[in-house]
Amino acid sequence: MNFLAHYILASQIENSDFHIGAILPDIGRRAGFQLSKSVLPEAFPAQLELLMAGMDLHWFSDKHFHDSAFFWNGYNLWKDEIGFQISGVNRKFFLYHLLFEMWLDRILQEANPDAANAMYASLQNSNSELIRLFSLEILGDHTHKIQTTLSDFNQRKFVLDYTDDLRFSGIASGVFAHVTKQSQDPELRDLLSKSVLKMDRYSERILKDWALFSEKLIQDWNQSRNSKS
């Protein structure tokens, strides 16, 4: 999932430490760290408990999302919409995957215009000392890449741009080119700006599927946490 979807799931708990934990694996990836349960210690300072709980929700959500009919339905909507027009593009699986995750954030933001601003406000209210502690003690991040990347994310606020067709397509094509190490294709960018507008005819359906998926996911996560306590 993309940033806003992770935040919305985490917003069940009104705590900025929990919220930042819920997006921290993606911030970490942007900073060059692959954060996963397998690379983090089981024991950690008590003050990091909510941060780590947010990360646990992130990993749980991503696993269940990518295994869900909800994900594959969204993936296939994009594949059906643009697949026949991008015969020369490599790594199409990643493209459809990326597009659905960004598009989901776009739909969620259009349904709740305050959500993205609430996310950024919560992240900006997070405890900088807590992030520094996590970076140093858990990751050995003496160059402060996590903090710098988080600050850049908060300043750029690019998730707000997802509701603009041209900005959506520019960000999507740019991320796709960067991750796949291909040159950014202006034709792909133009195609996506037209296609995302057409795809919005499915928005109501996606919102209904999201409501069912997210409710079940939170129930399952809470149960998994309770069973471990």
Side-chain angles (χ1 to χ4, degrees):
M1 284 186 290
N2 208 253
F3 295 101
L4 187 59
H6 277 298
Y7 166 75
I8 288 174
L9 289 173
S11 64
Q12 61 173 310
I13 295 177
E14 295 183 7
N15 184 283
S16 292
D17 296 342
F18 185 70
H19 299 163
I20 197 168
I23 72 158
L24 196 55
D26 287 342
I27 294 294
R29 187 178 300 112
R30 295 172 71 88
F33 295 93
Q34 294 297 323
L35 303 184
S36 67
K37 287 185 179 181
S38 63
V39 302
L40 297 182
E42 292 187 14
F44 49 84
Q47 57 265 51
L48 293 177
E49 182 176 359
L50 277 171
L51 186 80
M52 301 297 282
M55 294 176 68
D56 185 71
L57 175 59
H58 178 107
W59 295 319
F60 187 94
S61 301
D62 268 357
K63 179 182 185 303
H64 285 261
F65 176 69
H66 294 130
D67 288 341
S68 70
F70 176 52
F71 168 76
W72 287 107
N73 287 339
Y75 172 97
N76 284 320
L77 285 175
W78 273 100
K79 181 179 179 180
D80 292 344
E81 181 69 29
I82 67 171
F84 69 98
Q85 302 180 71
I86 56 170
S87 57
V89 174
N90 295 321
R91 296 192 61 181
K92 294 179 185 178
F93 172 84
F94 175 68
L95 179 60
Y96 305 141
H97 179 163
L98 170 69
L99 287 170
F100 178 47
E101 291 192 349
M102 287 183 57
W103 181 52
L104 175 59
D105 269 15
R106 170 187 168 100
I107 292 170
L108 292 172
Q109 189 176 172
E110 288 177 336
N112 184 358
D114 295 329
N117 281 319
M119 174 184 71
Y120 285 116
S122 181
L123 297 181
Q124 288 169 343
N125 287 333
S126 62
N127 186 335
S128 60
E129 283 302 306
L130 200 69
I131 304 303
R132 186 187 66 81
L133 175 64
F134 174 81
S135 298
L136 289 175
E137 297 295 327
I138 306 298
L139 299 179
D141 178 20
H142 297 284
T143 57
H144 311 293
K145 288 182 180 178
I146 292 285
Q147 290 162 286
T148 300
T149 302
L150 179 61
S151 177
D152 178 70
F153 177 78
N154 284 332
Q155 289 177 7
R156 291 175 61 201
K157 292 182 169 57
F158 60 80
V159 174
L160 292 168
D161 291 333
Y162 287 5
T163 56
D164 180 277
D165 303 341
L166 291 176
R167 290 293 296 138
F168 177 94
S169 63
I171 294 168
S173 60
V175 170
F176 177 70
H178 174 73
V179 172
T180 62
K181 300 182 178 1
Q182 301 179 60
S183 299
Q184 190 164 354
D185 185 351
E187 292 185 2
L188 177 62
R189 183 191 60 214
D190 293 344
L191 171 63
L192 296 182
S193 69
K194 298 172 184 175
S195 298
V196 71
L197 187 59
K198 296 178 183 177
M199 289 289 289
D200 283 344
R201 67 188 185 274
Y202 300 114
S203 292
E204 186 175 344
R205 167 180 161 187
I206 293 297
L207 281 173
K208 289 179 180 178
D209 290 347
W210 164 259
L212 294 172
F213 169 78
S214 59
E215 181 180 9
K216 179 68 164 54
L217 185 142
I218 291 299
Q219 289 176 353
D220 290 346
W221 182 72
N222 285 325
Q223 288 177 1
S224 73
R225 297 282 291 180
N226 291 335
S227 67
K228 296 174 184 176
S229 59

